[in-house]
Amino acid sequence: MKVPETTAARVLVVGDVMLDRYWIGDVSRISPEAPVPVVLVSGEEFRLGGAANVAWNCAALGARTRLLSVVGADPEGRLLESLLKKEGIEPRLHRDRSIKTTQKLRIIARQQRQQLLRVDFEVSPSREVLASKLAEFRSALKQCDIVILSDYGKGGLTHVTKMIAMARGAGKPVLVDPKGDDYSRYASATVVTPNQNELRQVVGSWTDERDLERRAQALRRRLKLQALLLTRGERGMTLFRDGRRMNFKTHAREVYDVSGAGDTVIAALGVMLAAGVSLSESVRIANRAAGIVVGKFGTAVANREELFG
């Protein structure tokens, strides 16, 4: 296959950003205070999480990437912005003084690279800040080829229905990584990319592959989607289109950490579509990218060299 030219692809990512923080140390004893391990922290790492990880994956594939989101007026928000700029991403971050930037702190045992505990810090942004973001979203549509909406259920996509309508009205394809049990707000998007647990929340449990196809196609038709892409872990992916279904086997050689794999899928899919690659081939490439990142520690990216080299 000819390697897609992605450097001219322009991607607009909108959604819930977070700062992924890792405390890494050695575990050699159990606490005398409670039956829990004692971690002697010797290192700290910061990575881009949520929609920021989606943008990071887009940039790693060579796309010109802009990220629109909300952070707190705090040191974590400033650190997030500096990490984005370091990766070549154009950050458009609205600062909300009433919240703190969302953080996920993971405590890791160095010897096994095993996660012992995760601590979340989050507060939903104010509706006023989110409403003010719509004007910038409308303006940004003129400079993008595709829109990726990354919904982590943190409140940053309260106006997602309006955003989809605005983007579709401007002739831009819209990809959505969904959350929750109400997908009606994603109606008229181009592609929605749930994982198996997320899809079950909406359509219920299926008994076999035929039942799955019936439920997935019914949802796709009801929402007026061009396609629904189901990510299935070790079973790969299944793409549901009008009257068609395509299965893609997993490319993972070894699953080390599934953190952010969905971010990689929607990022690779968006970049490839923006570069003019067909939907089925874009899914094939996204599937390969997911197989790369699950073999890495923490939130990570698959770059062009790994994907096509």
Side-chain angles (χ1 to χ4, degrees):
M1 180 195 114
K2 182 182 177 182
V3 176
E5 179 49 63
T6 57
T7 55
R10 302 174 303 169
V11 181
L12 173 62
V13 179
V14 187
D16 300 307
V17 297
M18 54 197 73
L19 183 64
D20 280 2
R21 189 173 188 171
Y22 298 86
W23 285 355
I24 303 168
D26 297 315
V27 178
S28 59
R29 63 192 178 98
I30 301 298
S31 171
E33 303 164 358
V36 295
V38 175
V39 183
L40 180 61
V41 175
S42 56
E44 184 175 37
E45 293 181 18
F46 296 95
R47 298 191 188 183
L48 297 166
N53 186 35
V54 176
W56 183 21
N57 273 270
C58 291
L61 291 173
R64 294 156 59 188
T65 308
R66 178 180 294 184
L67 173 65
L68 180 57
S69 190
V70 178
V71 296
D74 52 23
E76 291 76 19
R78 292 191 290 274
L79 176 57
L80 194 67
E81 183 173 29
S82 68
L83 291 173
L84 289 164
K85 289 180 177 178
K86 182 181 177 182
E87 298 300 336
I89 300 158
E90 180 185 348
R92 296 294 181 91
L93 304 178
H94 289 239
R95 287 178 167 76
D96 187 341
R97 295 187 177 278
S98 68
I99 68 168
K100 289 189 68 65
T101 301
T102 297
Q103 283 190 80
K104 290 183 180 179
L105 168 62
R106 297 173 176 90
I107 300 175
I108 308 294
R110 182 196 307 278
Q111 299 96 319
Q112 304 83 17
R113 278 291 204 185
Q114 177 185 353
Q115 184 177 153
L116 302 176
L117 182 67
R118 194 180 93 183
V119 183
D120 290 3
F121 305 86
E122 60 187 59
V123 180
S124 296
S126 66
R127 294 187 66 88
E128 290 75 15
V129 169
L130 294 174
S132 68
K133 194 171 66 171
L134 285 174
E136 186 166 2
F137 176 77
R138 186 187 298 276
S139 175
L141 288 174
K142 302 169 186 175
Q143 289 98 38
C144 78
D145 301 308
I146 200 163
V147 177
I148 298 177
L149 302 177
S150 178
D151 193 349
Y152 267 80
K154 309 302 182 188
L157 285 177
T158 298
H159 300 297
V160 65
T161 302
K162 287 184 180 178
M163 288 180 169
I164 292 172
M166 290 163 65
R168 300 300 282 149
K172 309 296 182 179
V174 179
L175 311 184
V176 180
D177 191 354
K179 189 67 69 177
D181 58 5
D182 179 16
Y183 280 18
S184 63
R185 53 204 221 105
Y186 307 131
S188 299
T190 309
V191 184
V192 172
T193 64
N195 61 35
Q196 293 189 115
N197 290 334
E198 290 165 343
L199 186 63
R200 283 193 188 97
Q201 290 183 53
V202 180
V203 303
S205 296
W206 47 89
T207 56
D208 53 28
E209 290 297 299
R210 181 176 295 181
D211 187 30
L212 166 60
E213 182 168 9
R214 179 182 63 81
R215 293 169 186 259
Q217 290 287 22
L219 178 65
R220 186 193 60 78
R221 288 191 296 269
R222 187 168 78 248
L223 297 180
K224 297 181 174 60
L225 307 174
Q226 179 181 332
L228 186 150
L229 176 62
L230 176 63
T231 58
R232 312 182 70 178
E234 69 279 359
R235 298 189 66 178
M237 302 181 189
T238 303
L239 178 66
F240 298 96
R241 305 172 76 175
D242 186 13
R244 287 180 287 168
R245 163 192 180 139
M246 295 180 67
N247 293 316
F248 301 82
K249 293 182 179 180
T250 182
H251 280 267
R253 292 179 292 275
E254 179 182 0
V255 177
Y256 185 75
D257 190 337
V258 298
S259 301
D263 298 337
T264 298
V265 168
I266 200 167
L269 183 64
V271 171
M272 296 307 141
L273 290 173
V277 179
S278 70
L279 177 57
S280 58
E281 187 58 33
S282 294
V283 172
R284 202 178 307 278
I285 293 170
N287 189 37
R288 193 183 313 145
I292 293 169
V293 298
V294 297
K296 299 182 179 182
F297 168 72
T299 47
V301 298
N303 59 43
R304 282 180 58 89
E305 291 72 24
E306 292 171 310
L307 202 50
F308 301 114

